[in-house]
Amino acid sequence: MKIEKDIIIIGAGPIGIACALECKQRGFDYVILEKGTLTNSLFNYPLNMTFFSTSERLEINDVPFISNNPKPNRDEALEYYRRVATSNQLKIHLYEEVSSILEKNGQFIVTSEKQNYHAKKVIIATGFYDIPKLLNVPGEELPKVTHYYKEAHPYSMQKVIVVGASNSSVDAALEIWRKGGDVTMVIRGNDIGERVKYWVRPDILNRIEEGSIKAYFNSEIQEIKESEVLVNTSKGSISIPNDYVVALTGYQPNFKLLEATNITFSDDERHIPTYNTETMETNIPGLYLAGVICGGMETHKWFIENSRIHAKQIAEHISQNL
């Protein structure tokens, strides 16, 4: 079955939703295709996560975001973006993954697992939460190892190694410790990350200093075993008794879809896709990028706060070329 649209938007995160709002306001015939649930990445965040930004900086399309707290939490964000999508009756197909995008004679054939779409323009607004950056060590495949953290309760009264020193790592370490877990942090650098939330950083530093949470800086995991973890530290290799490893070492975008569409990339480790910073159009005419995907491996470059503008940039350019 072939469905014809002006615009196909891939990804129903906050920026994909912002793009849909712009399309609707301009009268474009559009649809969002999302492989998971609405705002799938936010849904998979830790249950008690608090945003760094205030609610007004997370707003899209001038729709007010009212929060009970100075910094909104995960549930408030899910409620906000859900209300934006439903109250505006946005056209969104959830649980429909796109497998390919083919440009042919100035048109795009977008194939999903359910049907084919023909579109004049395509906007890719996928995130970066799907593929974790692996440790690439023996034992990483063991069931005791996870690259995602949801809540602390399962780790109560367990010996837990948390890998990393980012916001997610620090939050997990503190929450697990407060729920009765025996927490050890393994950190490749020599300090807690500079981007850690300013109201949380003193907390983790104090817990480490007092010995409540153990931390090995300038260290890396060498091997993960059933009941222990071997760690290379600045003072040599040590064995740490262990029940679980929570490796929160970051994530990366799924570049396969972009590469298969012949979007070009920078030839360095950043792997930044090619696009016009004024219009967000890639080297493929009519194919646009929005949100965190624009940063390639630099996943800390684009956020909801500073990439909301992408939706308007794209919509204005499409208005001149549709």
Side-chain angles (χ1 to χ4, degrees):
M1 177 180 178
K2 182 179 78 171
I3 298 177
E4 295 188 356
K5 295 287 180 181
D6 289 335
I7 302 166
I8 298 293
I9 303 167
I10 303 173
I15 305 306
I17 292 172
C19 290
L21 286 169
E22 292 287 345
C23 288
K24 181 177 181 178
Q25 290 177 0
R26 288 168 168 77
F28 301 151
D29 186 12
Y30 72 93
V31 67
I32 298 179
L33 303 181
E34 165 59 55
K35 71 175 184 179
T37 187
L38 188 72
T39 59
N40 196 62
S41 292
L42 296 187
F43 173 73
N44 286 303
Y45 281 177
L47 296 181
N48 297 319
M49 194 210 77
T50 299
F51 282 85
F52 189 93
S53 298
T54 54
S55 58
E56 66 270 14
R57 298 193 65 193
L58 300 175
E59 292 174 354
I60 52 176
N61 209 250
D62 297 322
V63 180
F65 182 173
I66 307 301
S67 171
N68 294 322
N69 309 289
K71 310 282 187 179
N73 59 38
R74 166 190 174 272
D75 285 352
E76 289 176 318
L78 289 177
E79 176 69 15
Y80 171 72
Y81 294 116
R82 184 168 60 244
R83 288 295 183 94
V84 170
T86 56
S87 62
N88 286 280
Q89 298 180 319
L90 298 182
K91 300 173 185 176
I92 304 174
H93 294 181
L94 300 175
Y95 305 104
E96 184 171 347
E97 185 171 5
V98 170
S99 57
S100 68
I101 304 170
L102 175 64
E103 189 275 331
K104 188 176 182 180
N105 299 325
Q107 295 272 315
F108 293 94
I109 301 172
V110 179
T111 302
S112 78
E113 57 191 1
K114 296 182 179 180
Q115 52 205 357
N116 290 331
Y117 299 83
H118 284 223
K120 299 173 184 175
K121 311 287 183 183
V122 173
I123 303 170
I124 299 177
T126 51
F128 70 100
Y129 208 58
D130 292 334
I131 304 175
K133 296 178 182 177
L134 300 179
L135 301 172
N136 293 313
V137 298
E140 191 169 9
E141 74 286 351
L142 290 173
K144 64 186 276 186
V145 181
T146 181
H147 294 277
Y148 294 90
Y149 171 76
K150 201 69 174 178
E151 59 179 320
H153 180 74
Y155 305 109
S156 177
M157 298 184 288
Q158 301 294 292
K159 294 179 174 62
V160 183
I161 286 180
V162 176
V163 185
S166 63
N167 274 300
S168 56
S169 304
V170 168
D171 285 346
L174 288 169
E175 287 185 14
I176 293 170
W177 170 71
R178 290 197 166 95
K179 293 297 188 293
D182 181 354
V183 179
T184 300
M185 299 185 73
V186 175
I187 301 167
R188 186 170 56 181
N190 59 8
D191 200 358
I192 295 298
E194 295 181 357
R195 295 191 184 97
V196 169
K197 290 170 281 196
Y198 63 84
W199 65 93
V200 175
R201 201 170 192 275
D203 191 1
I204 188 65
L205 291 175
N206 287 334
R207 301 296 76 76
I208 292 172
E209 183 178 358
E210 71 186 14
S212 297
I213 293 175
K214 296 176 287 295
Y216 291 93
F217 294 98
N218 300 307
S219 302
E220 295 185 69
I221 288 182
Q222 176 184 355
E223 184 177 357
I224 301 169
K225 298 184 177 182
E226 289 288 349
S227 58
E228 64 178 331
V229 173
L230 303 182
V231 179
N232 284 326
T233 75
S234 57
K235 297 180 180 179
S237 180
I238 62 172
S239 173
I240 302 175
N242 174 256
D243 297 308
Y244 290 99
V245 175
V246 182
L248 303 177
T249 50
Y251 307 91
Q252 65 186 52
N254 187 340
F255 295 115
K256 290 183 179 179
L257 186 64
L258 278 64
E259 291 168 347
T261 315
N262 293 322
I263 292 176
T264 56
F265 293 82
S266 63
D267 58 359
D268 55 27
E269 68 278 359
R270 297 176 301 164
H271 206 58
I272 297 176
T274 301
Y275 65 92
N276 184 314
T277 56
E278 298 296 324
T279 66
M280 309 310 295
E281 189 175 35
T282 68
N283 57 291
I284 309 296
L287 180 58
Y288 300 82
L289 300 180
V292 69
I293 191 69
C294 299
M297 292 297 293
E298 293 184 326
T299 54
H300 292 288
K301 183 175 182 178
W302 293 106
F303 304 91
I304 299 170
E305 303 94 297
N306 65 356
S307 62
R308 296 175 297 177
I309 187 63
H310 293 172
K312 189 174 293 292
Q313 289 176 272
I314 292 169
E316 289 177 352
H317 189 253
I318 290 177
S319 295
Q320 301 168 10
N321 295 276
L322 191 64

